[in-house]
Structures are given as structure tokens and as C-alpha cells.
Amino acid sequence: MTSSRLFRFPKPEWVNSPNTRTAGVYLAGALFSLGFFFFIDASTYSHSSKNGSNVHIKFVDWIPGICSALGMLVINSIEKTRLSADSYSYSGTGVAWKARLVLFLGFALMAGGLAGSVAVLVLKYIVPDYPFPTLYFGVANVVANGLIMLSSVVLWVSQNMEDDYTYNLAL
Amino acid sequence: MAAGLKTIIALSFVLAIGFLLVILSSALFHSYLTLLVVATYIIAPLPNWICGRCANPDDFMESAGSAVVDFGRFCTGFLVVMGVALPAFLAHCGLIAVPAMAMSIIGGLLIYGTIISFTMFFQEEQDF
């Protein structure tokens, strides 16, 4: 196992421990919550008395966040072992194909959410040249979508870590 | 005995101080929105407990139970950060004062720490 290594530095021991993946799942929830509350903060601020301008957060601003959250739900509800299911004979035909299609839809939703938040920031807030307390709504939208994406990445990586761990136990 | 009488007394003192801080933060500034922090931290460990009961911890090779446990952990992480983020954004939007935010965050962390230490002590007593 060690002779077939590709890189000169070995993989650290803590990567495969179950504590790390538990911490990763907690961290994913924390990141998602942070992103969600960034956006809630922006929308509450836009309807509070501190907002001096007459620009408010409408449903258009909510669409990228909804897309990102749906994409995260789709990506993480897929059984990861089905992605390479065609190499085994006992699973049905075309399972991996379907899994990859659904996974592609999830990634497209998530990337579309991030790109859509940048589009809302540019089209609604930067092009009309608003000053900063109004510009914060767009920036918070981008930050929220980026944090949801980061949370999804952390969740994905820590769930794959679990597969390595159980694989080592099975051997 | 890990959970001796002194531990329980100390934990209840910490819990009382946490509740005192949160109630003062709402009553001194006449804005009772900070009581939401207590509700958040009280329901924060619930998803972990419920999902831990739903999943069978004995067969860890079966990945069906692990997803439920992971969902519970995800919800708990969400709620813990929500307990800090909720007063922060209420203060940013001018709904509560900034000292009320600080008091409710500290009080909420004390309450959550008490809950977590209690569950740890009870688990330690169970597995003999």
C-alpha cells in the first residue's frame, strides 16, 4: 500500500479517523447556518428602519439561495457507492448512469445558484451604482451562496472519508 | 463517580447564570426577542438524540443508518451556529441593542455548555 503512493508526503493519520468525519458533518451544518443567516440578515436589514434607500430584497434575490439549497439537498441525498455501481455485476444496469445524471443536476443547480447570486449583485446593485449599505444586500447574497457551496463540499468530503474508513475495516 | 454532587451543583449554577444573563438582556432593554436564543439552544441537542435513536448503531457497515445520524449532526451544527447568529443579526438590524446581544450570546453559550456536560455525564454513567 505504501509503495504504490503517488506523492512523497504520506496522508496524515487523522484524515481517516471517524472523529474527523463527525467534526466535518458538524462543520457543514455550521457553515450552512452561517450562510443562511447572512442572507436572512440582509433581508431583515432591508425591511428595518436602518435601511435608508428604497431598495428592498424581493423574491428575485431569494431565487439563487433556493437553487443552492436544492442543489445541496440533491447532491447529498445520492448514495455515493452507486456512482461506480456498473463495475459490479450484481447491481442493475444503468444505475451509475442515473446516479450521475441526478448528480449532474445537483451540481448544475448549485453552480447556477452561485452564478445567479453574482448576476443579481451585478445587475441589481452594481450597475445602478448604489452606495454601500444597499450594496451589502448583493454581497451578502454572494457570501451566503458561497458558504452553502462550501458546506456542501465539506459534507461531501467527510462522507467520502467515511467510505475509506469502513473500507479499511472491511479489509 | 464522575457526576458527583459538586458537579451537579456547579452545573446548575452555570445554568442559572446563563438564564439570568438571557432574561436580563431581554428585560433591561424591553425587547424580548433574545429569549429565542434559549429556545434555540434547548432544541439544539434534540436532532442528535432523535436521529441517534432512529439509527441502529450496531451495524455500522450498513450505510442506511449513517445518513440519519449525519442528518441529525448537520441539524445540531445548524442550530448551534444559529444561537450565535440570531442575536448578531437582530443587533445588526437594530431590533435589539448591542449589549443585549453580548449578554444573550454569553448566556446562551453557558446554557448550551450545561446541556452538553449533562448529557456527557449521563452517558458516562450508563455504560458500565
Side-chain angles (χ1 to χ4, degrees):
Chain A
M1 198 154 207
T2 50
S3 59
S4 65
R5 227 166 49 200
L6 181 59
F7 294 106
R8 302 182 65 182
F9 288 105
K11 197 163 82 171
E13 278 297 316
W14 55 266
V15 166
N16 268 344
S17 91
N19 286 332
T20 313
R21 65 168 289 278
T22 307
V25 175
Y26 280 124
L27 184 68
L31 284 173
F32 184 82
S33 172
L34 206 59
F36 181 72
F37 275 99
F38 251 103
F39 189 58
I40 294 288
D41 176 45
S43 55
T44 315
Y45 192 88
S46 93
H47 288 276
S48 74
S49 56
K50 280 190 167 187
N51 185 9
S53 63
N54 55 359
V55 180
H56 294 292
I57 285 196
K58 298 280 170 52
F59 184 68
V60 178
D61 301 79
W62 283 87
I63 294 173
I66 294 172
C67 280
S68 284
L70 271 182
M72 182 174 180
L73 189 66
V74 168
I75 287 173
N76 286 302
S77 33
I78 286 194
E79 189 70 49
K80 304 278 185 308
T81 52
R82 295 291 176 273
L83 289 176
S84 54
D86 276 351
S87 52
Y88 306 117
S89 58
Y90 52 81
S91 61
T93 55
V95 180
W97 181 80
K98 288 169 199 159
R100 282 171 197 154
L101 180 67
V102 177
L103 195 66
F104 173 74
L105 283 181
F107 278 121
L109 269 175
M110 182 164 285
L114 192 59
S117 70
V118 175
V120 166
L121 168 68
V122 170
L123 290 179
K124 195 177 170 185
Y125 298 103
I126 289 185
V127 170
D129 207 11
Y130 285 123
F132 204 75
T134 313
L135 191 61
Y136 169 68
F137 304 153
V139 174
N141 206 346
V142 174
V143 168
N145 281 285
L147 280 175
I148 289 175
M149 196 172 211
L150 193 64
S151 151
S152 179
V153 167
V154 169
L155 197 55
W156 175 273
V157 167
S158 53
Q159 278 179 345
N160 281 351
M161 226 181 260
E162 172 213 29
D163 287 343
D164 282 354
Y165 172 66
T166 47
Y167 183 67
N168 284 344
L169 272 184
L171 286 180
Chain B
M1 263 313 165
L5 198 59
K6 281 178 188 171
T7 320
I8 290 178
I9 292 173
L11 280 179
S12 58
F13 262 110
V14 172
L15 185 71
I17 290 171
F19 269 108
L20 174 74
L21 276 175
V22 175
I23 289 174
L24 271 186
S25 78
S26 59
L28 280 182
F29 300 95
H30 302 289
S31 162
Y32 288 84
L33 281 170
T34 50
L35 289 181
L36 285 173
V37 176
V38 181
T40 307
Y41 277 121
I42 284 178
I43 63 172
L46 282 186
N48 247 351
W49 292 343
I50 294 171
C51 296
R53 289 288 172 195
C54 286
N56 193 4
D58 290 335
D59 51 352
F60 58 92
M61 302 306 282
E62 193 68 35
S63 57
S66 156
V68 181
V69 175
D70 279 352
F71 181 69
R73 283 177 183 148
F74 186 85
C75 288
T76 301
F78 182 90
L79 286 168
V80 168
V81 175
M82 181 180 167
V84 178
L86 200 62
F89 99 80
L90 285 177
H92 180 231
C93 297
L95 293 170
I96 59 173
V98 175
M101 175 196 82
M103 285 166 78
S104 60
I105 286 179
I106 296 172
L109 286 179
L110 286 179
I111 293 173
Y112 188 64
T114 313
I115 294 173
I116 290 300
S117 335
F118 253 109
T119 49
M120 279 171 60
F121 284 132
F122 276 125
Q123 274 174 356
E124 212 168 7
E125 269 188 36
Q126 265 177 4
D127 57 4
F128 58 86

